[in-house]
Amino acid sequence: MSNLVPITVAEGDGIGPEIMAATMKILEAAGARIAPEYVTIGEKKFLSGFNNGIGDETWESIARTQVFLKAPITTPQGGGYKSVNVTLRKSLGLFANVRPVKTYQPYVGSKHKEIDMVIVRENEEDLYSGVEYRQTRDTCHSVKLLSRSGSELIIRYAFEYARAHGRKKVTCLIKDNIMKISDGLFHKVFKLIAADYPEIEADSIIVDIGMALVADRPEEFDVLVTLNLYGDIVSDIASQIAGSVGLAGSFNMGQKCAMFEAVHGSAPDIAGQGIANPSGLLNSAILMLHHIGQSDIAAKVENAWLCALEDGAHTGDIAKDKSKALSTSEFADAVIERFGKEPQELTLVETSEKGFVMPTHDLRTISKRHKELVGVDVYLDWRGQDAEEIGGKVESSSTDAMKFSAMSSRGVKVYPGKCETELVSDLWRCRFRATGGCVKNSDVNALLGQIEKAGLEWVKVENLYTFDDEDGFTVLQGE
Ligand code: NAI
C-alpha cells in the first residue's frame, strides 16, 4: 500500500498557478510523501456557472483527502458571486483560522525586532454569520451570534495548540465591558478552560487596548485567541507590522478537514510575470506537512527557506537591491539548493512531531439550567419624536399577563420619566415584564395583538428569558 498522503490542490487565480508550481516543485524535491489531486476552483468555475466558484469534483476530492492546499482566488466584483473562502469555511466547518506571524530581521524589513505570535481566530460565528436586517427606514442591525459550545471549541483549540507547540501564554481579546452577554460568555469560557492548562499563562485584554498593544509591543504576545471580527482585524495588523504579509501562511482547521493557504490574495497586478513571491504558500504547505505528520520534511523545507532569506535570495517584493531580485522559479531553486543547510541567525526549526489533541464540539456542556420566559422587548417603527405620545399608547397596550416597564431609543430610556437622549431614531424598544413571574408564547401573541390594535407597527420581538435566576438579557439603561 502507498504511504503517500493524498491532498487536494487548487492552483487558484492570478499569481496562484505560478506560486503553486514553485511550492509543489520544492515539496517534491524535499521528498514530501504526498499524492496531489488537482482541482479547479475560482474564476474559471464562476464563469462556467458555479456562483460559489466550486464544483462537485472539488467537494468530492476534499471529502476524500481531508487536506486542502489552496492558492488565492479572485472573487469577481459584482454579479452576485459568493466568496469561495466563506463558502469553504462554512461548508467544511473550518472553525479555527490560525495565522502564525513572525519577523525575519534583518532580512525582511519591520519596525519590530522579534515578533513570534500565533493568532487563533474563531471562524464560524460572531458577526460573520451574515444575519442582518433593515426593518425601519432609518435603522438596520447585524446579529452577533455566539455559542458556548463554539467558544469552548476555539478556546480549547488555542490552548491545545499552545501546549503542543511549547508556547507559554494565551491571551484572549474581548469587549465584555460593553457586550456583557456575548463577549462575557467567551471570556467566562476562556477562564474556565484556562484552568485545565496550568502550565500556560492565561491573560485577557479588552480588544481596543489589546490591538493597540499588538501594534506597539507585539513582542509581548504569544498565542492570541479571539472572536471572528476582532481576529480578522488583529491578524491583518499583526501581519502588516511584521512586514510579512507576502510571506505568511495560514490554515483553517475543522473537525474533519483542514485548508492551508497564503494570507495574501491573487495579486492580479503582477500575475503572469513570474515575479511573485511563493513564500506565503510555501509556509502554508509547511504547516500542512506538520498536520499530516511529516514534520521531518517541513523542517527541511523551512530551514532551507530561512537560509535563502539569510543569503539574500529574494523575490522583488522583499529584495533590497531590486536588480538582484529572483523570479518565482529561481527562488524555488534557491530553496532547493539549500536543503540540508541550517540558518545562522534566524531560528533553526527542529524536527519534532507535535502531539496534538484535537478538541471536539462538546454539546454536553450546554447549560441544563431552568429557563423561563419573563418578558419581551417589542420593537416599533414610529417616525414621531414625542416620547410621551408613543409611550402612552404603548403603556396602554399592557395586558393582564404582561405589563409595560420602559421604552428606549438606541439603548437609552426615553419613557416613562425624563427622556435621556436625543430622539432621532425611528426604532423604539418597548419592554414588557411578566406580571406573574413568567409567561407563555401565547401571552406574547396577545400583547402583540393589543399593540397592533393601538395603531402601532411592531417590527421585531425579542423574548426575555432567565436561566435559573440569571437574566439572559441586559438591563435597559435607566430602567
Ligand atoms: P493582494 O494580496 O492580492 O495584493 C496586494 C498587493 O500585494 C499587490 O500589490 C500585490 O502585487 C502584492 N502581492 C500579493 N501577494 C504577493 C506575492 N506573493 N508576491 C509579491 N507581491 C504580492 O490583495 P488585493 O489586491 O486586495 O486582492 C486581489 C484579489 O485577491 C481580489 O480578487 C481578492 O478578492 C483576492 N483575495 C483572495 C484571497 C484568498 O483567496 N485567500 C485573500 C485576499 C484577497
Side-chain angles (χ1 to χ4, degrees), residues 446-457:
L447 173 70
L448 295 176
Q450 285 301 110
I451 289 173
E452 198 175 347
K453 261 194 211 154
L456 299 169
E457 181 193 354

Side-chain angles (χ1 to χ4, degrees), residues 15 19 70-77 85 245-246 261-270 275-280 315 317:
I15 58 170
I19 59 174
K70 173 184 158 293
I73 301 295
T74 303
T75 304
Q77 303 275 313
N85 272 0
V245 181
E261 63 176 343
V263 165
H264 62 74
S266 59
D269 53 333
I270 57 164
I275 58 169
N277 189 343
S279 299
T315 44
D317 54 321

Side-chain angles (χ1 to χ4, degrees), residues 108 172 451:
V108 182
C172 174
I451 289 173

